[in-house]
Amino acid sequence: MLAFKPKPSSLRSTFSGTALRPPPRLYGVPVLLSFSRTTRSRPLVRAVISDDKAVESAKTSPLDQKHSNGSSDSSSKQVKAVVTIKKKMKENITEKIENQWEMLMNGIGRGILIQLISEEIDPVTNSGKSVEAFVRGWLPKPPEHDNILQYVADFTLPSDFGRPGAVLITNQHAKEFHLLEIVIQDFDGVPIYFPANTWIHSRNYNPESRIIFRNQAYLPSQTPPGLKDLRREDLLSIRGNGKGERMPHERIYDYDVYNDLGKPDKEKDLARPVLGGEDRPYPRRCRTGRPASKIDPLCESRIEKPHPVYVPRDEAFEEIKQDTFSAGRLKALLHNLVPLMAATLSSSDIPFTCFSEIDKLYNDGFILKDDEQRKLGDNLFIGNMMKQVLNVGQKLLKYEIPAVIRKDRFSWLRDNEFARQALAGVNPVNIEILKEFPILSKLDPAIYGPPESVITKELIEQELHGMSVDKALEEKRLFMVDFHDMLLPFIKRINNLPGRKSYASRTVFFYTKTGILRPIAIELSLPPTPSSNRNKYVYTHGHDATTYWIWKLAKAHVCANDAGVHQLVNHWLRTHACMEPYIIATHRQLSSMHPIYKLLHPHMRYTLEINALARQSLINGGGIIEASFSPGKYAMELSAAAYESWRFDREALPADLIHRGMAVEDPSAPGGLKLLIEDYPYAADGLLIWSAIKEWVESYVEHFYTEPDSVTSDVELQAWWSEIKNRGHHDKRNEPWWPKLATKEDLSGILTTMIWTASGQHAAINFGQYPFGGYMPNRPTLMRKLIPQETDPDFEKFMQNPQRTFLSSLPTQLQATKIMAVQDTLSTHSPDEDYLGKMNEFHSSWINDHKVLQMFDRFAAKLGEIEEIINERNKDIRLKNRTGAGIPPYELLLPSSGPGVTGRGIPNSISI
């Protein structure tokens, strides 16, 4: 046996800033090591490292004995650590060779170094005691997981070592590996779990070791003495210093403005303003630190696909998700599908001329040329949206029939379906009570004209069959979807874009005594011009053919506005963009052993990655959103304008419903709210999910915060909330509506809102995109023509062929197929989706607290009950918005789902 004593290495302390250096490699096996550390921050405890054949002891130098704290081998005990690593499921030949070499190095004890850190402190060094060992030896692969590898590390612990509370991992391989967990087996009769699910970087990139804590939750004041320095060190290691470009292996979480959407270096027309700051307030994103643009120093240079945008390493998609989305979905879509479709349609990118051409998207598909078949066959994905079929030697891309027309292809024509989708569609969050007449704009009349709407009492009363407007207001039967003030400042610029024509819209609905919501008037407005005082038009459904077709065009313009607001405001801004600062602050300010970090962790998965991909390919200048939605190049400016009225306190579902007048407080009602429209599927089902989340969060918070001042005295928690307000939502930092964080009730409310946003709210407005928007006449994303007036040259063409006018106003064939493909991708569940109330098998040891696990089981059981309630509601013939001939059931808030486009399922996080 060889006794080898490495040179002393230094562990970076909170105060000194020095780096933790791994010990040098060992040559010759088996090896007996006697480690002696002389650092200020780590007590020196000798570890005996051996293979499975017992190595009894080794002589130590006087220096070793000096730092052994008086412990001897006779009073020590042996413990075994099982290290679980996940490797790729699909490997090329080079990766297989590399992995075999790494397995050999790990097996013989030359690849991964582990330090066990005790919760107990050494009074001499004032830090936790430690022992070290290399992993060595293989365990059999778990039979159900071919890509899971397990190794062992043997430790000899002094009798006074105490309970291990953390491990330090040093990766001596040339590349990273994915650590699932480390388990100390049979420590005083029970295993100790160190859940990780993290990438461990190679020391070639960063010499610092990774810190992994055991699965015990501690408030900062409860941190065991031996772990206090590591708790601070771990947080400091991922905050960064706000300088330099981030590298792919890093785990740095920091903030930046949206200065990476434009491409000023490539083309002047692709320059985009910076979002975030006094001029255009916006939430902050994760900082990447790329060099500034050459043309505009305020903008960050772009990185284009297929090169990845930086996100902290553990935020990147795991392999299954990567296959489903990046390789099998978005990359195939953006790299192959759209350009190939453009080539196929280049000579015929024309409007649809008849409805049968739209039907052919689902029945016949696109016929691709032979060379396109070959390219597409190598890279294209199989999914719900499209199927590859062989037909006379040619490949066809066939779209799945969207749910909205699957049972009734004419449902989209009906007024009651138009209204039903305001309550049970993909954007059910803009309808509000109409409280008073006249309807008034809040925009500057000097710029936008008189504030009064041209929807008058007299006009509405013609549609109420004898009921007065005052009576309808009193009985709360009038509702409105109002995009007027949001859109009118952008209409002139939008209408100057090629192939774009829009209005600012208002739609008034009447809720009948039979429980049916129907549209009764639509107002479409243009900005006033010096040559035209008439800039507001009002439409009703009418009964003659001409009025009927004009009414259909008016509804289509409303749907286009609704689609744009849904995508840019309710979907992107209010869920994706606003969630990102919460995630960054959680990592920067809450230790991974903090109970609130553990609670929020499942609700942060994949969000930073999907947001980075969106900035790269969807919401960027010249991206899919600009190409496919009405606002065009002004899309993100519109999103920023909407942020000015965003309020955190109104993102809670009950507060939002009350603010829109769709519910009133009622202590006797379930959840304390009474809906004005009982058959409001989004709200009715959403309140069930909200209440379940609230109950789970409240019990969790109550369990950990037991003292009256425990919330205010939690330094990490207070720093977390302060950073969210002052850095993550910096432009809103001085708003008075931010909730205080002083009590358990305050904390529960904040957390419930965040978890609802990431889970139920996002599910409700995301996974119905293809089911409702996949049929373009039902939900066009843009309009290309204004409604013809009698004095217009095109009015006669409209009279001769209104169908052609209608179809030529919709997106072109290429625009339609682009957005259908994107909507399908965004509506797809990955096979590795983690759903609300479900526990990932690899994360089952997330917390060492039996009471918390019992609470979670009750939460999961409650969600199961809610699923049964929703299924029963979907069978209730009294609820016309979710049952009836050809009506698809409302399933967007059913908690569970399988993979693919299912129109149901609530993932834990914003993962698509």
Side-chain angles (χ1 to χ4, degrees):
M1 293 290 183
L2 298 175
F4 177 83
K5 183 171 67 178
K7 294 180 180 179
S9 60
S10 60
L11 176 67
R12 186 181 66 182
S13 73
T14 303
F15 306 102
S16 68
T18 56
L20 174 66
R21 302 287 176 179
R25 298 181 180 223
L26 307 181
Y27 300 95
V29 290
V31 179
L32 175 65
L33 302 181
S34 178
F35 284 101
S36 174
R37 289 197 176 268
T38 57
T39 64
R40 292 170 295 172
S41 58
R42 187 68 54 224
L44 308 188
V45 180
R46 187 167 61 88
V48 179
I49 303 173
S50 68
D51 59 11
D52 291 337
K53 297 179 180 179
V55 178
E56 294 182 359
S57 63
K59 293 181 180 180
T60 61
S61 68
L63 182 62
D64 293 328
Q65 295 171 356
K66 179 180 178 180
H67 291 285
S68 67
N69 297 321
S71 61
S72 65
D73 290 343
S74 62
S75 61
S76 63
K77 58 182 176 181
Q78 297 284 334
V79 297
K80 185 186 297 292
V82 176
V83 180
T84 303
I85 292 172
K86 183 167 67 172
K87 66 184 185 69
K88 289 179 65 175
M89 292 180 289
K90 300 176 182 178
E91 298 174 329
N92 58 38
I93 187 65
T94 302
E95 290 171 331
K96 289 181 179 180
I97 294 173
E98 290 176 344
N99 285 336
Q100 290 298 317
W101 175 253
E102 290 178 2
M103 288 175 62
L104 175 63
M105 293 297 99
N106 289 339
I108 64 177
R110 289 175 55 186
I112 301 172
L113 177 66
I114 300 178
Q115 283 183 276
L116 290 186
I117 310 298
S118 172
E119 292 182 347
E120 295 185 8
I121 201 166
D122 185 322
V124 176
T125 62
N126 204 35
S127 294
K129 305 169 186 178
S130 72
V131 294
E132 298 179 337
F134 278 90
V135 301
R136 64 167 60 244
W138 305 273
L139 294 178
K141 291 182 181 179
E144 66 276 18
H145 298 294
D146 290 337
N147 63 320
I148 301 300
L149 300 176
Q150 291 185 322
Y151 303 95
V152 295
D154 294 313
F155 297 88
T156 298
L157 303 182
S159 60
D160 62 349
F161 183 78
R163 179 181 294 274
V167 294
L168 305 186
I169 312 293
T170 304
N171 173 13
Q172 299 194 7
H173 295 297
K175 67 177 186 178
E176 65 185 3
F177 65 86
H178 192 266
L179 176 68
L180 283 179
E181 68 175 6
I182 297 175
V183 182
I184 307 298
Q185 294 185 339
D186 197 27
F187 186 91
D188 291 340
V190 295
I192 300 178
Y193 292 91
F194 296 82
N197 195 35
T198 184
W199 288 95
I200 306 297
H201 60 262
S202 167
R203 72 171 184 176
N204 294 346
Y205 295 111
N206 184 346
E208 295 185 12
S209 297
R210 281 292 309 281
I211 304 170
I212 309 294
F213 295 105
R214 80 180 181 97
N215 63 341
Q216 184 67 47
Y218 293 111
L219 295 176
S221 62
Q222 301 167 340
T223 309
L227 304 182
K228 286 184 177 180
D229 285 349
L230 286 182
R231 183 168 185 148
R232 289 192 295 268
E233 171 126 0
D234 192 41
L235 284 174
L236 288 173
S237 70
I238 61 177
R239 290 177 186 168
N241 57 11
K243 299 178 182 178
E245 183 174 358
R246 299 273 64 91
M247 296 293 104
H249 69 273
E250 294 181 324
R251 296 170 57 249
I252 303 299
Y253 295 80
D254 206 351
Y255 300 94
D256 207 345
V257 294
Y258 280 72
N259 60 355
D260 62 342
L261 300 179
K263 305 177 186 179
D265 291 345
K266 182 177 181 180
E267 186 178 335
K268 183 178 179 181
D269 193 52
L270 292 177
R272 296 293 180 268
V274 174
L275 304 185
E278 292 184 8
D279 292 341
R280 293 180 179 86
Y282 214 63
R284 297 307 191 254
R285 63 169 177 92
C286 187
R287 182 182 177 277
T288 59
R290 294 192 301 272
S293 160
K294 297 176 182 177
I295 301 297
D296 184 352
L298 296 178
C299 290
E300 192 173 81
S301 58
R302 294 275 301 170
I303 186 167
E304 303 297 346
K305 54 185 184 293
H307 304 291
V309 176
Y310 167 81
V311 293
R313 184 62 184 96
D314 289 338
E315 303 298 327
F317 289 163
E318 294 181 24
E319 189 177 3
I320 293 176
K321 180 74 171 182
Q322 186 75 16
D323 286 346
T324 302
F325 183 80
S326 296
R329 291 286 181 177
L330 188 61
K331 285 184 179 176
L333 173 70
L334 298 179
H335 303 171
N336 299 316
L337 178 58
V338 171
L340 290 176
M341 283 185 172
T344 304
L345 297 172
S346 59
S347 60
S348 58
D349 183 17
I350 58 174
F352 295 108
T353 57
C354 60
F355 286 99
S356 62
E357 290 180 346
I358 300 176
D359 293 339
K360 287 181 180 179
L361 293 176
Y362 315 104
N363 298 330
D364 297 335
F366 285 106
I367 299 177
L368 299 180
K369 303 164 188 173
D370 290 340
D371 60 330
E372 291 165 347
Q373 289 181 37
R374 191 165 52 253
K375 295 177 185 177
L376 208 55
D378 292 338
N379 300 308
L380 194 57
F381 53 93
I382 301 288
N384 271 356
M385 176 194 65
M386 297 179 178
K387 297 175 180 176
Q388 283 194 93
V389 296
L390 196 60
N391 183 14
V392 197
Q394 290 183 314
K395 299 272 184 174
L396 297 177
L397 296 177
K398 184 180 178 184
Y399 288 78
E400 287 289 330
I401 298 176
V404 71
I405 61 164
R406 189 175 299 150
K407 298 178 181 179
D408 181 358
R409 62 179 296 190
F410 302 111
S411 63
W412 66 279
L413 291 166
R414 296 194 301 270
D415 283 356
N416 64 342
E417 177 62 19
F418 173 81
R420 188 188 76 85
Q421 291 182 30
L423 299 169
V426 71
N427 189 40
V429 297
N430 282 111
I431 189 169
E432 59 184 317
I433 190 80
L434 183 56
K435 296 180 179 179
E436 58 186 7
F437 263 84
I439 302 171
L440 298 175
S441 168
K442 296 179 181 179
L443 297 176
D444 185 353
I447 300 174
Y448 300 104
E452 293 83 8
S453 168
V454 292
I455 300 177
T456 63
K457 280 188 176 183
E458 293 74 21
L459 185 144
I460 288 182
E461 286 176 348
Q462 293 176 16
E463 305 296 326
L464 299 186
H465 306 299
M467 179 180 287
S468 69
V469 167
D470 291 338
K471 184 68 172 175
L473 290 172
E474 180 185 344
E475 294 186 3
K476 298 181 179 179
R477 295 192 175 277
L478 291 176
F479 296 85
M480 178 172 60
V481 173
D482 188 356
F483 299 132
H484 180 276
D485 287 8
M486 183 187 300
L487 297 181
L488 192 59
F490 292 89
I491 294 299
K492 182 178 179 180
R493 286 181 286 169
I494 291 172
N495 288 350
N496 285 331
L497 297 173
R500 296 288 203 283
K501 296 298 176 185
S502 293
Y503 301 91
S505 63
R506 287 189 181 104
T507 308
V508 175
F509 300 87
F510 178 65
Y511 184 54
T512 69
K513 293 183 178 180
T514 59
I516 300 297
L517 190 71
R518 62 183 181 88
I520 58 176
I522 293 173
E523 179 187 63
L524 301 178
S525 299
L526 296 170
T529 63
S531 60
S532 175
N533 293 324
R534 187 185 181 195
N535 66 324
K536 299 179 181 180
Y537 307 87
V538 63
Y539 302 96
T540 58
H541 58 83
H543 299 286
D544 63 276
T546 302
T547 306
Y548 173 81
W549 274 104
I550 290 177
W551 173 247
K552 189 189 303 293
L553 284 166
K555 289 195 297 181
H557 274 279
V558 171
C559 287
N561 287 345
D562 191 78
V565 172
H566 162 261
Q567 195 67 261
L568 296 165
V569 180
N570 299 326
H571 180 212
W572 169 257
L573 170 64
R574 292 177 59 189
T575 63
H576 285 260
C578 286
M579 194 72 197
E580 186 154 344
Y582 312 153
I583 295 171
I584 297 171
T586 299
H587 284 283
R588 286 169 53 87
Q589 298 297 340
L590 298 182
S591 166
S592 60
M593 67 171 71
H594 197 292
I596 302 306
Y597 177 95
K598 291 182 178 294
L599 175 69
L600 289 177
H601 187 260
H603 307 290
M604 304 187 291
R605 187 184 188 218
Y606 292 157
T607 303
L608 297 191
E609 171 82 341
I610 194 65
N611 286 3
L613 285 169
R615 297 199 314 272
Q616 186 179 46
S617 302
L618 293 179
I619 63 172
N620 59 300
I624 296 293
I625 298 301
E626 288 191 1
S628 305
F629 287 83
S630 288
K633 64 186 291 185
Y634 306 108
M636 291 304 291
E637 289 185 63
L638 189 152
S639 183
Y643 179 64
E644 294 187 19
S645 60
W646 177 88
R647 293 176 49 155
F648 179 88
D649 58 331
R650 289 180 182 167
E651 293 305 296
L653 178 60
D656 172 59
L657 293 171
I658 291 171
H659 172 68
R660 290 189 283 120
M662 299 303 294
V664 294
E665 294 187 68
D666 184 350
S668 64
L673 283 187
K674 180 181 179 181
L675 295 175
L676 268 63
I677 298 178
E678 181 184 355
D679 187 14
Y680 185 2
Y682 158 77
D685 295 356
L687 286 171
L688 294 177
I689 302 296
W690 169 272
S691 296
I693 295 172
K694 182 173 181 285
E695 182 180 333
W696 153 238
V697 169
E698 286 177 343
S699 62
Y700 187 94
V701 169
E702 181 72 30
H703 177 70
F704 286 101
Y705 292 88
T706 57
E707 302 299 325
D709 65 342
S710 53
V711 170
T712 54
S713 62
D714 186 336
V715 292
E716 288 183 5
L717 189 72
Q718 293 298 326
W720 167 77
W721 186 233
S722 175
E723 183 165 294
I724 286 173
K725 294 182 294 182
N726 293 303
R727 295 199 64 185
H729 286 271
H730 178 78
D731 304 322
K732 297 280 188 177
R733 63 193 180 281
N734 296 321
E735 297 289 353
W737 42 253
W738 283 105
K740 298 183 184 303
L741 183 52
T743 66
K744 291 179 286 188
E745 292 74 22
D746 295 339
L747 178 57
S748 296
I750 290 167
L751 294 172
T752 302
T753 298
M754 290 180 178
I755 294 173
W756 160 254
T757 299
S759 57
Q761 179 70 359
H762 180 259
I765 60 178
N766 180 73
F767 292 104
Q769 290 193 73
Y770 186 79
F772 285 98
Y775 186 67
M776 196 56 62
N778 177 68
R779 191 172 174 79
T781 57
L782 60 85
M783 295 292 282
R784 301 171 61 243
K785 293 181 179 180
L786 298 176
I787 297 176
Q789 305 299 316
E790 292 185 11
T791 56
D792 293 343
D794 288 340
F795 189 78
E796 185 59 31
K797 293 181 180 179
F798 161 72
M799 294 294 290
Q800 294 298 321
N801 194 337
Q803 175 177 290
R804 183 179 290 270
T805 298
F806 178 83
L807 290 173
S808 65
S809 299
L810 301 182
T812 65
Q813 294 186 34
L814 180 55
Q815 288 172 328
T817 54
K818 276 185 179 181
I819 195 59
M820 289 164 68
V822 171
Q823 286 175 332
D824 177 87
T825 301
L826 299 180
S827 302
T828 298
H829 289 294
S830 172
D832 72 338
E833 199 83 86
D834 287 340
Y835 294 96
L836 194 64
K838 303 295 183 183
M839 186 66 66
N840 186 303
E841 62 176 320
F842 294 124
H843 307 156
S844 57
S845 302
W846 65 284
I847 195 167
N848 180 34
D849 194 313
H850 183 65
K851 288 185 178 180
V852 169
L853 295 176
Q854 286 182 323
M855 294 175 199
F856 184 82
D857 288 342
R858 289 196 294 270
F859 174 54
K862 184 68 174 180
L863 292 173
E865 295 172 7
I866 289 172
E867 188 150 322
E868 293 179 5
I869 293 172
I870 294 174
N871 285 329
E872 288 302 313
R873 287 175 174 176
N874 286 333
K875 299 174 185 177
D876 190 340
I877 60 175
R878 297 171 298 174
L879 302 177
K880 306 298 184 184
N881 289 323
R882 57 204 312 160
T883 60
I887 299 295
Y890 186 78
E891 297 181 328
L892 290 171
L893 286 168
L894 280 174
S896 68
S897 175
V901 180
T902 63
R904 59 176 289 169
I906 304 177
N908 272 322
S909 62
I910 300 170
S911 58
I912 190 69

